[in-house]
Amino acid sequence: MMGADLSTGQRVARARRRIGWDQAQLAAAVDRSVSWVSKIETGRLPLDRMSVLGQLAEVLGVEVTELTGQPYRHETSELDSGHASIPGLRLALQQATMPGGAVLIAMAEPPSLADLVRRVEAAERLRQDAKFTALGDVLPQILRDLIVLCDVVTGDDVERAEGLMLRASHMARVSSNLLGHHDLGWSAVQRELVAAERAESPILRAAARWDLCGVWLHEGELSAARDMARRALDELEPHMVAADPSVRALWGAMHLRAAVAWSRLWDRAEAESHLAEAREVAGSLPNDGNVFQTQFNAVNTEIHSVEVSLELGRPRDVSSRAELVDVMRIASGERQSHFWVCTAAGHMMNGKTAPAADAILQADAIAPQHVRNRPIARNLVDDLRSTDRHARSEEIRRLAGHMKLG
């Protein structure tokens, strides 16, 4: 069987055998039973939490992507969610992160700051709508134009240009991590950190570190994500006195990163403490807040509370918290879809396949390019198609076919 055809559980078994362990040794390493390991490897128990995937990857000495099988490729360019843009994105990020990269780009004259503001804002709408194919069509050229612009601007325009570079690099980071090209995610966040230093801006530095936490969470480097969130919060705290809305939003968004990190480390008290801090800040900020693409607002805070409960392995809390989320109030298809994926996983943990099927299909209807590239969503669909205990079996099988699951 080729690696691309393996299930997540089969990849766990392959990694276990490669280091010479039997199931009992793996079970001891993750403080689980041999029966649990057997069920994971045979697909009888779904891997429905990143916290569990990350723990398995750590003890097996592999990257999370080796267990998830990313990047995934699909039959059509539309379903492929932007993979065709990866070569261009890779080149643009290489040029953006190398000294003197601007000289490698042939351009008659530098683009205008005003034009790039418009184009970055349009690209951000695509990113929030999880339209990654369309985003991939425009993002490499935006990055190249920003490389040139950042090389020639002076004075106050330096911070404006570098701020745009940070925002464009964030979109590159999100696309790269979603598609499974995590090396590009690191390149993108590296350019964000450079932008913050060049602009000498504590706000840009906080935004870059928020995204760095996102990279580490994708990679399963939970302690690093937790420690960076803690350090960034310490550095932001003196600036909270001025009550700048952007600072307050980044402060809240960093608490949400910390909450997710702690939940994946299975520390409920710390995770809930950070959620409480985020809720307090969100209550004083606009309901449609989206500073530096953080989508930090009250609705997203509650979406995070659902995710935290999921990662902590508390499915009843997932369901009860999900019922309180007015998810349509958030202007982000990606965030709405994420909410429904988490809700579906919670229902599956509760053994409720019918609402789980409804939820995962709702997620796919909102943002298919987001859902079909997410390991957790793919595991859910794979698990749901193995049971007929719900009325949407045919739709689930069709979605599994689109995902090329078996």
Side-chain angles (χ1 to χ4, degrees):
M1 181 179 287
M2 296 297 289
D5 299 324
L6 297 177
S7 68
T8 304
Q10 289 168 329
R11 293 189 189 95
V12 171
R14 180 179 63 181
R16 172 182 59 76
R17 290 191 296 267
R18 189 164 55 234
I19 61 175
W21 281 6
D22 59 22
Q23 289 184 338
Q25 287 170 297
L26 177 55
V30 295
D31 195 24
R32 301 276 185 163
S33 68
V34 175
S35 174
W36 182 88
V37 172
S38 177
K39 289 177 180 178
I40 287 293
E41 293 187 351
T42 58
R44 288 177 290 156
L45 190 65
L47 277 168
D48 49 13
R49 288 183 285 162
M50 287 303 296
S51 54
V52 179
L53 269 171
Q55 184 191 31
L56 286 168
E58 182 178 6
V59 301
L60 291 168
V62 299
E63 294 182 347
V64 171
T65 50
E66 180 163 336
L67 301 185
T68 61
Q70 287 181 299
Y72 313 119
R73 298 305 300 260
H74 301 286
E75 297 291 347
T76 67
S77 59
E78 174 61 24
L79 293 180
D80 231 11
S81 311
H83 276 291
S85 69
I86 289 297
L89 192 60
R90 186 180 300 278
L91 178 59
L93 286 171
Q94 288 170 344
Q95 293 168 332
T97 52
M98 71 172 60
V103 302
L104 302 176
I105 302 173
M107 195 171 294
E109 61 182 43
S112 73
L113 185 60
D115 179 61
L116 275 164
V117 167
R118 177 187 59 78
R119 291 162 59 196
V120 167
E121 289 175 349
E124 286 174 335
R125 288 192 290 273
L126 296 174
R127 173 259 186 275
Q128 289 297 334
D129 289 339
K131 295 180 178 177
F132 291 101
T133 296
L135 178 61
D137 289 341
V138 299
L139 188 54
Q141 188 58 53
I142 288 174
L143 283 167
R144 284 192 290 271
D145 288 351
L146 281 167
I147 293 166
V148 174
L149 180 65
C150 289
D151 191 56
V152 298
V153 291
T154 59
D156 292 341
D157 284 344
V158 171
E159 183 170 352
R160 297 189 186 98
E162 292 293 350
L164 289 175
M165 176 60 85
L166 183 145
R167 290 159 61 184
S169 296
H170 162 75
M171 289 185 278
R173 196 280 296 171
V174 170
S175 299
S176 299
N177 280 147
L178 176 74
L179 297 174
H181 298 276
H182 297 309
D183 61 318
L184 294 190
W186 283 110
S187 295
V189 83
Q190 179 183 350
R191 186 58 184 86
E192 292 183 53
L193 292 164
V194 170
E197 294 307 312
R198 288 183 176 177
E200 299 180 345
S201 167
I203 292 178
L204 292 189
R205 182 159 49 252
R209 290 182 171 185
W210 171 81
D211 223 21
L212 178 56
C213 287
V215 174
W216 272 325
L217 289 172
H218 270 281
E219 290 276 293
E221 297 290 343
L222 303 180
S223 295
R226 175 202 62 199
D227 294 344
M228 174 52 69
R230 181 186 291 152
R231 191 177 311 128
L233 286 167
D234 287 343
E235 290 192 9
L236 270 177
E237 188 167 16
H239 301 281
M240 289 286 286
V241 181
D244 184 314
S246 294
V247 173
R248 294 180 64 79
L250 288 167
W251 168 268
M254 202 69 73
H255 275 294
L256 293 181
R257 288 286 201 231
V260 172
W262 279 111
S263 70
R264 293 184 184 179
L265 290 164
W266 296 321
D267 189 320
R268 185 186 179 195
E270 284 286 352
E272 293 293 345
S273 174
H274 284 287
L275 271 177
E277 292 279 359
R279 283 194 183 99
E280 183 177 349
V281 177
S284 65
L285 293 173
N287 288 330
D288 59 351
N290 187 25
V291 172
F292 287 105
Q293 293 292 288
T294 59
Q295 280 291 339
F296 183 73
N297 49 55
V299 176
N300 198 20
T301 299
E302 296 314 315
I303 291 173
H304 276 76
S305 76
V306 174
E307 179 179 2
V308 163
S309 293
L310 175 66
E311 295 292 0
L312 289 168
R314 303 177 66 86
R316 292 184 180 179
D317 289 348
V318 172
S319 298
S320 61
R321 284 179 161 177
E323 290 175 356
L324 301 177
V325 179
D326 188 359
V327 70
M328 297 307 295
R329 285 179 55 213
I330 193 166
S332 170
E334 183 270 332
R335 287 281 86 198
Q336 291 178 18
S337 176
H338 180 73
F339 164 79
W340 287 113
V341 169
C342 291
T343 301
H347 286 313
M348 284 299 287
M349 291 170 68
N350 272 317
K352 298 179 178 179
T353 56
D358 290 340
I360 198 66
L361 289 169
Q362 177 70 9
D364 187 69
I366 293 170
Q369 292 193 346
H370 180 248
V371 171
R372 298 177 192 190
N373 283 285
R374 292 194 63 195
I376 298 303
R378 294 169 68 87
N379 287 342
L380 280 167
V381 172
D382 202 21
D383 198 40
L384 280 165
R385 71 170 174 168
S386 68
T387 177
D388 291 322
R389 289 183 296 163
H390 55 84
R392 308 190 73 176
S393 298
E394 184 57 38
E395 292 169 271
I396 290 293
R397 282 193 289 270
R398 189 158 52 246
L399 178 55
H402 289 318
M403 290 179 166
K404 297 180 70 175
L405 297 173

